[in-house]
Amino acid sequence: MDLLAFRYHEGAVHLPALGLWLDAHRPMGPDAAVFVSHAHADHTAAHARVLLSEPTRRLMRARVAGERMEQVLDFGRRYDGAGLGLPAPGLAITLLPAGHILGSAMLLLEASGTSLLYTGDFKLRPGLSAEACEPRKADLLIMETTYGRPEYVFPPTAVILESVIRFCREALDNDETPVLLGYSLGKSQEILSGLAGAGLPVALSGPAAKLTAVYESLGHRFPAHETLDAGKAAGKVVLAPPGMAISALRRRLGSCRIAVLTGWAVDPGCRFRHQADAAFPLSDHADFSDLVAFVRQVAPRRVFTLHGFAADFAAHLRGLGHDACALSEVEQLELSLGAMRRDPAARAVTETPATTVAEDALAPHDGPPFAGFARTCARIGSLRAKSEKVRLLADYLATIEPPALGWVTTWLAGGSLTADGRPHGAGWAVLRQAIAAAAGVSDADFRSGYLKHGDTGETAAALLAARPAAAQRGLGLQAVHSLLQSLAAAKGPPDRIPLLQRAFARCEATEARYLGKILTGNLRIGLKEGLVEEAVALAFGHDPEGIREAHRRIGRLGDVALMARKGRLDAADLQPFQPLRLMLASPEPTPEAIWERAAQWSRSSSESGTPTVWVEDKFDGIRCQLHRVGSRVAVYSRDLKEITAMFPELAEAARGLSADVILDGEILVMEGGRARPFADLQRRLGRREPDLFLAADLPVVLMAFDLLWQAGTSRLGQSLRERRAGLEALPLPPPLLRAPGHHVDSAAAIKTAFDQSRARGNEGLMVKDPGSAYLAGRRGLAWLKLKRALATLDCVIVAAEYGHGRRNGLLSDYTFAIRDPATGALRTLGKAYSGLTDMEIARLSDRLHERVVRRHGRRLEVEPGIVLEIAFDSIHPSTRHDSGLALRFPRIVRIRDDKAPADADTLATAWQLARATSAQG
């Protein structure tokens, strides 16, 4: 048996003959030995038995709880594998310094005349706070390739540090506090060492100070420093982790200048993504030149690349004559067509340039003109009768050929995602700046126009109408589609604003109106999604219910329209990596009300013949669906956006599943078997790149409660009982967990289950019909939810006021509203100002300032876009608000960044709760 034979499994390298894992992400039991290359969160877990260096042992003890068998290896010493408990006669093991952070190690394995070198993260450039990297020649090389593209070449460290010190001194000279953002482990210590001799007083964040003390216990010496006290930070250089809320940091420290120190500073938009004033390319990883030099020094027969740009770097090595392949990526651009057809996980990769839309792509002659779409929308908006709207839209859709039919149907239904499901990422502030630039007006002129029209599209039309006709060259449908793709690929506002400016500059007024409305996700022409479904049915001769059912199953109405045109509506079924709309639950105020509803179900029976219902804890996390086929995994939020990058540990765990599946569940931060508050989970939301340290501090689990698809077969039509049995039979590797549940047979048992769920720290109870099918996209009565003592409502902020005292200068008092489905309007329900932390208020205040549309002294009206969950003691009729209702003692439970205004609760739900309150009183 080949002792050095390995496989890439569950995000780590495994050598089965040795029982050895290299940097395993999930906890391993006592039967496995795990080599931990260093103490960063993405390389550690609660293993039972580890091989590591002494510095890594001490740092890991400071960061990873629990007891474990620790086998400490000295650098450079050649160990016999059998002496380390590895069942491999003749195996030799040597630890070599990797140069990444203190204690980081490479592993050299030698057996039967063959050698294998595994790097983990490493760096050839000499560091100031870590051992120097010592590569050795080996036959096989497994190496990390975080910066495996040619553009990632870093300046000399001394040059970077000179710039950092100059940045700090300039800030201090201007009475500003310089803040350097770097990870608490490794980067903070490297920065601190780099400031030696500069004579700058330094304050470290708490986590960085704790880990720096470990460095010092190992004999490392740093310049004088202290632990950060925000009230005493003036005149000091502050070292803080990049995960901190920047707006809150600025308020705590007063006037400050912030720089982020990361290898990604090579990217032009890096500082904008971190809300920093500057970015410096100081990295603990090898840059592209180091990666190439490292391969030359090791001189391996074969190279296997991991992480980062693994496929890109492997391709580069092949161009240099090396035998190289990527372990952690499918190298899709080199797969044959036949291979792609055989592997359902393989997919083509296409990239749209993020910084430019070519002028010829904006030309109107390429396919149908966008002006036809805009004129149709204007005509539909002028009609009152729904039947006339449907007929006019059906006539228009019948004239549009694929693939444009899919795009326009999506836009008409209020969607602005790209063809592959990505959000375009252009928020209101970006649109405001782009439209103002295209029209040649000031930001104040735009705001004035918005005050008059109250709509981004209408404002764009008014501002752009006065331009010369020669400038209004028009767009094609293809151009608008390409624009959305390019916006999604762009890295931030600096890239998106020029794209939008060029597009709006070509629009005539009507086109600008509806381009703006597409980008804000609401055409406002009285065309609800249901009417678009009817129009698709009429245009292509299908039954409307068939269109609706197909839409529920595949989630994208544009795809349904394409299928309907081709007469292939029967092919509309749940498919991997095409997220479907999730089944939703209806709220009920009491266990008795739930049991009364359940009496209408066709209930299963126990042996005694007593009707039963299925109950589960209602978790306070974010709803998601996980798709897994082979090595490809994607996680989608309730609004069908992909969020895989925010939770890489879930994707890695899913690759270890024994079957291809689609799961429905809830993502939670879990610690010690108990869910942590939603506010903790919020810190991991909205990130495009995984934060290694947040992942360690805020470990997440996916609590799966439904199985929607398995091994090529949709299970939507099966009963919950059958789907649950399938889920029970599916082995789930942590952090994928199975939501516990059981049957109950009375209102009293529902009340007991609810109390037990609340005692476990969860939000409430879910009660489900065991015989119900999965009704995608529906909020029916087959699933019911019982939440806190009465309930909470998800409401939209429509206005905000400045606070008083320590909140003076912050928007901290919020007027909120709920949806009126009959008119599409938002109806105010009350005001709230308690429940959020100072940091949350500061962050929310910044976001609201970007959405201001009208000012009334201290009160600002804002564009609806932010959802709050509001708790209250009671709800009752009132003429004070235009909803006709008011809340008693409203308070904010949390900011619902996982929800859009369309997900807010409705007027009908609020009145239902009001009637329940009245009945109980």
Side-chain angles (χ1 to χ4, degrees), residues 35 55 133 173 370 428 442 462 687 723-724 747 751 791 800-801 824 863 866:
F35 167 63
C133 184
D173 288 346
F370 183 61
W428 190 73
S442 67
R687 294 177 179 271
R723 300 196 308 275
R724 182 71 193 197
K751 172 66 165 59
E801 297 177 40
E863 183 188 36
I866 300 173

Side-chain angles (χ1 to χ4, degrees), residues 177-181 201-205 228 233 236-240 249 253:
T177 299
V179 180
L180 305 180
L181 301 180
V202 180
L204 304 180
S205 68
L228 175 63
K236 299 181 178 69
V237 177
V238 173
L239 271 59
L249 186 65
L253 299 180

Side-chain angles (χ1 to χ4, degrees), residues 275-322:
Q275 303 176 51
D277 301 295
F280 298 103
L282 183 70
S283 177
D284 294 325
H285 291 263
D287 68 359
F288 184 80
S289 299
D290 271 0
L291 293 173
V292 174
F294 186 86
V295 174
R296 287 176 180 155
Q297 291 183 39
V298 176
R301 290 189 286 104
R302 297 197 68 189
V303 183
F304 303 89
T305 57
L306 283 171
H307 312 308
F309 299 113
D312 292 40
F313 190 68
H316 179 79
L317 290 179
R318 289 194 292 272
L320 297 176
H322 295 280

Side-chain angles (χ1 to χ4, degrees), residues 677-722:
F678 180 82
D680 289 342
L681 179 60
Q682 272 191 310
R683 293 171 58 194
R684 293 196 58 177
L685 301 182
R687 294 177 179 271
R688 294 191 172 191
E689 299 170 0
D691 187 307
L692 308 182
F693 298 94
L694 280 181
D697 296 336
L698 303 171
V700 298
V701 301
L702 170 60
M703 196 68 74
F705 49 70
D706 220 322
L707 177 61
L708 310 184
W709 180 94
Q710 185 174 19
T713 301
S714 170
R715 306 189 69 152
L716 299 182
Q718 296 179 352
S719 67
L720 172 63
R721 188 182 307 107
E722 294 170 299

Side-chain angles (χ1 to χ4, degrees), residues 153-305:
V153 175
F154 308 141
T157 300
V159 174
I160 299 171
L161 289 172
E162 285 178 8
S163 299
V164 172
I165 292 170
R166 184 166 54 252
F167 171 89
C168 295
R169 285 177 171 157
E170 288 175 354
L172 292 170
D173 288 346
N174 290 316
D175 294 325
E176 297 172 313
T177 299
V179 180
L180 305 180
L181 301 180
Y183 287 130
S184 300
L185 174 56
K187 187 64 65 63
S188 288
Q189 291 74 35
E190 188 75 2
I191 297 170
L192 187 57
S193 297
L195 296 179
L200 298 172
V202 180
L204 304 180
S205 68
K210 175 183 176 182
L211 295 168
T212 300
V214 178
Y215 272 60
E216 290 175 324
S217 72
L218 290 162
H220 204 89
R221 296 292 175 259
F222 296 100
H225 57 276
E226 61 187 61
T227 302
L228 175 63
D229 179 341
K232 301 178 181 178
K236 299 181 178 69
V237 177
V238 173
L239 271 59
M244 294 190 72
I246 299 303
S247 58
L249 186 65
R250 290 183 185 275
R251 286 191 169 83
R252 287 174 59 203
L253 299 180
S255 180
C256 60
R257 284 182 60 78
I258 297 176
V260 59
L261 281 70
T262 170
W264 302 112
V266 172
D267 294 334
C270 177
R271 74 179 181 90
F272 299 102
R273 290 197 298 276
H274 288 274
Q275 303 176 51
D277 301 295
F280 298 103
L282 183 70
S283 177
D284 294 325
H285 291 263
D287 68 359
F288 184 80
S289 299
D290 271 0
L291 293 173
V292 174
F294 186 86
V295 174
R296 287 176 180 155
Q297 291 183 39
V298 176
R301 290 189 286 104
R302 297 197 68 189
V303 183
F304 303 89
T305 57

Side-chain angles (χ1 to χ4, degrees), residues 111-167:
S112 303
T114 301
S115 55
L116 182 153
L117 180 65
Y118 168 79
T119 69
D121 296 333
F122 74 95
K123 179 182 69 197
L124 276 184
R125 299 183 316 282
L128 302 175
S129 59
E131 305 88 351
C133 184
E134 297 181 11
R136 295 262 186 100
K137 293 190 181 298
D139 300 305
L140 306 175
L141 171 62
I142 303 174
M143 63 182 298
E144 73 89 15
T145 52
T146 300
Y147 294 109
R149 285 184 176 172
E151 60 264 36
Y152 294 103
V153 175
F154 308 141
T157 300
V159 174
I160 299 171
L161 289 172
E162 285 178 8
S163 299
V164 172
I165 292 170
R166 184 166 54 252
F167 171 89

Side-chain angles (χ1 to χ4, degrees), residues 425-492:
W428 190 73
V430 169
L431 286 169
R432 181 191 72 219
Q433 294 178 61
I435 293 169
V441 301
S442 67
D443 185 73
D445 290 334
F446 178 92
R447 289 184 181 274
S448 177
Y450 194 95
L451 289 176
K452 178 179 179 180
H453 299 286
D455 178 87
T456 301
E458 298 294 340
T459 304
L463 293 176
L464 292 167
R467 292 170 305 131
Q472 303 175 30
R473 291 173 283 173
L475 299 173
L477 294 178
Q478 173 68 56
V480 177
H481 166 71
S482 298
L483 174 66
L484 292 172
Q485 296 288 109
S486 296
L487 289 171
K491 294 181 178 179

